[in-house]
Structure formats: structure tokens, C-alpha cells
Amino acid sequence: MKRALITGVTGQDGMYLSRLLLSKGYEVYGLVRGQNNPKIDLVREWAPDVTILTGDLLDQSSLLRALNIAKPDEVYNLGAISFVAYSWENAQLTSQVTGLGVLNILEAIRLYSGDDASKVRFYQASSSEMFGRVQEVPQRETTLLWPRSPYGVAKVFGHYMTINYRESYGMHASSGILFNHESPLRGPEFVTRKISLAVARIALGLQESVSLGNIEAKRDWGFAGDYVEAMWRMLQQDHADDYVISTGETYSVQHFLDIAFNHVNISDWEKHVFQDPKFFRPAEVDLLIGDSTKARTTLGWEPQVSFEQLVTMMIDADLEREKRSKA
Ligand code: F7E
């Protein structure tokens, strides 16, 4: 039986990945930060067989302790401060957790592994935010990185540190450059879930409108459940490497709104949507679209859920949730 340790197990990706690994027969350990973290209950409900360990990416001895307990064959580093807008307000903390945190876990693995550099396989959650002011369209593994937010800068640090540990110590350390990926488990601060929740509530007469930022922004949006499969496949390869994971299609926030409102039979959605300067960002990432040819050919990975299916899946889940809480 293989063993895996997931940092950030309480997040959307951690939840999908833990179910995937459990379904493959893994013994799964999830690292959770903070005292009496309320998200632990969500994980327990979603994947009861995950063993919860407490630890923090900023506390290296807690990482070593977690490695000694979990004795993992694979470590998936999904823990991060991941909300881009927040990273301008908390740039140092984001740099420490999202950037230095990667070094802390890599170094903990190196110490834990002793002379056997290949003892633990490592996955780093890199991000399309690293491409920022895009230098090439579509973006691929070789595209010059030009991050546009403190979050993006921190992810670049983690990305290169992962490559450095692979090259310096021969560690099986891979990096997935994941474009936006969403699901009904997405946090409500991210635009897709903010919209799906609002549209469900507007359709049920529980809310009148929603305030958003730049609705012309475009993203390459996929389904988180598909993307965690790519993470796992990366660690099953003989050689560690970096891969772009994306759908290759890009849509505006406006288009997301079109499909979302249309799904609940509201065609004149403009009267329900306001733009509020407080949701605009100091710097925007304009046109993210990924070329995942390498992942498709080497890993045999393909996204299964289309953009429209993703939007309607999220709306349906929020309609259900809201109806249940109303009842
Ligand atoms: O914004 C625009 C906003 O916050 C998407 C994270 O998982 O993906 C995610 O980062 C776009 C931006 O995600 C609102 O300006 C308009 O252009 O959903 P988001 P993100 O910043 O793309 C990458 C790959 C990651 O790695 C990150 O961790 O939507 N937008 N109006 C808005 N965004 C938000 N949040 N709220 C609005 O009201």
C-alpha cells in the first residue's frame, strides 16, 4: 500500500486528491494548519479515511514530524495562501507561506530521506499566475515567467526551488503549472464560486445582485477533479519534470456570467451584476491560456469536463445547497 502526505488537504484540490488517492488504495495523511481548524470537519465528512496531522509550512520541525509519522512515498504540496487579491494586502505572509513554505517542505524531505534522494516523490502546486504579463500565447513550460502579483512572485520562488532540489539533489520533484481549476468545493472568494453562489441565490429569490471586479478578465478554466489526476500521473513517471495543465480554451468572466444566468433562465442578467472598484486588482493578468501538449502526450492526461459543464455543475451544486439550507 502506497502512502501519501498532502499539505493543504482542506482546500478544494486537497479534497479531490485525497479521494482519488484513497480510491487507488493509498494510505492518505493530510496536513492541517492551526488550532481546532474548522475545516477539519469538512475533510472528515468528505474523506473519512484521511488521517489528519497538524503542522505548518512555516514550522519545519512540524513538517519533519509529519513525515516521520506518515512515512510517505509521495508528498503533494498544495498548501498555500492562494487568493491572489489577498496577496497584495499580505505580501510578506504570502511570500513566506506560498514561497518559503516550499523550501521548508523540500528541505524537510531532504533531511528525512537521508542518503536516498528518491525515497519520497514530491509534487509542487505551481500556477499559471507565474506567467502574469504573458510573454507568449498560449503559455507552455518554456514560456518566460513574469508574475504580476505577490502571489505569483511567491509561486515562481517555489517553482524554481523545486527544480533546484531536483537538479541539486536528484530528488523526484515535479511541478504542475496549473491553470485556474474550479469545482463546487471552490472557496466563495474566487470569482467562479462567487458567481455560482450568487446566481443560485438570485434564482431562488434569496438575493438581488452581486458586485464583481473586472468582468472582462479571461481565464483558462478547468475542473479541479480532472486536474488532481494530472498531479498523480506526474508522480508515477520515471523522471520528474514540469507540466502545464490547462484546457487550452479561454473565456471571460462575462461569458461565465452568461452561461450561469442562462442556466437558471435569467437572460437580462446585467441588472443583477454591479462592478465595484474594490474588486479590481492593482495589476491584472490579461490573457491566460495554456498549452498542455506535454502533459497530454507524456502523461496521457486530458481534461474531461467542458467549460459549460463546469459552470452548470457549480450552479446545480449551489442550488442544492441553498435549497437545503433554506429548508
Ligand atoms: O479571479 C476577476 C479577477 O480570484 C479570476 C487561484 O486559484 O487561479 C486562481 O487565481 C479573475 C481575475 O482567481 C471578481 O480580477 C472579477 O482576473 O477567481 P479568481 P485567480 O486570481 O485567477 C490561479 C491559477 C491560482 O493559482 C490562484 O491560487 O476574475 N474577477 N471580479 C474577480 N475575482 C474575484 N476573486 N472576485 C471578483 O469579484
Side-chain angles (χ1 to χ4, degrees), residues 1-252:
M1 187 190 269
K2 275 200 192 171
R3 304 163 70 96
L5 174 65
I6 303 173
T7 73
V9 73
T10 60
Q12 161 193 263
D13 293 6
M15 303 259 265
Y16 279 104
L17 181 65
S18 54
R19 270 203 185 167
L20 177 78
L21 297 179
L22 288 168
S23 76
K24 292 183 184 298
Y26 279 61
E27 192 165 323
V28 180
Y29 293 81
L31 195 72
V32 176
R33 187 174 60 92
Q35 189 181 335
N36 198 18
N37 186 328
K39 288 184 173 173
I40 289 178
D41 289 342
L42 295 178
V43 179
R44 291 222 167 100
E45 205 179 306
W46 173 264
D49 292 334
V50 171
T51 305
I52 302 287
L53 302 175
T54 57
D56 197 304
L57 284 168
L58 298 181
D59 179 345
Q60 203 175 56
S61 64
S62 77
L63 300 176
L64 263 171
R65 197 181 56 87
L67 289 166
N68 279 314
I69 297 170
K71 299 184 178 44
D73 301 291
E74 298 171 7
V75 172
Y76 295 84
N77 185 38
L78 313 184
I81 289 179
S82 65
F83 186 37
V84 175
Y86 175 92
S87 77
W88 274 282
E89 289 154 20
N90 299 273
Q92 267 193 25
L93 183 63
T94 305
S95 304
Q96 281 165 359
V97 178
T98 305
L100 271 180
V102 185
L103 173 59
N104 289 343
I105 183 92
L106 280 165
E107 188 58 13
I109 293 172
R110 190 179 75 80
L111 294 171
Y112 167 76
S113 301
D115 294 335
D116 181 5
S118 58
K119 184 165 167 174
V120 179
R121 294 186 173 197
F122 177 74
Y123 171 85
Q124 167 57 18
S126 287
S127 161
S128 55
E129 274 291 306
M130 302 190 307
F131 295 123
R133 191 159 142 190
V134 298
Q135 298 298 297
E136 187 178 21
V137 178
Q139 297 86 50
R140 45 181 73 89
E141 293 78 7
T142 50
T143 303
L144 182 72
L145 305 179
W146 195 310
R148 294 267 280 171
S149 61
Y151 168 82
V153 173
K155 280 287 178 188
V156 170
F157 177 88
H159 181 68
Y160 281 125
M161 207 43 99
T162 302
I163 294 172
N164 186 258
Y165 267 61
R166 181 167 77 219
E167 293 179 354
S168 302
Y169 303 114
M171 218 187 239
H172 193 293
S174 293
S175 189
I177 307 174
L178 268 53
F179 281 61
N180 294 53
H181 44 288
E182 318 293 315
S183 76
L185 300 183
R186 190 60 143 149
E189 65 275 34
F190 297 95
V191 76
T192 54
R193 182 73 201 296
K194 186 174 173 182
I195 295 173
S196 69
L197 201 52
V199 169
R201 290 177 57 83
I202 291 167
L204 295 171
L206 298 170
Q207 177 174 328
E208 275 294 310
S209 61
V210 60
S211 292
L212 298 172
N214 175 17
I215 62 172
E216 274 151 34
K218 288 184 169 172
R219 289 291 187 277
D220 177 333
W221 273 299
F223 171 52
D226 288 344
Y227 285 35
V228 299
E229 169 78 27
M231 298 175 187
W232 175 76
R233 288 189 185 207
M234 283 177 219
L235 297 205
Q236 310 317 306
Q237 304 303 303
D238 289 341
H239 301 287
D241 208 338
D242 309 315
Y243 298 89
V244 161
I245 303 297
S246 64
T247 67
E249 292 173 16
T250 191
Y251 297 97
S252 64

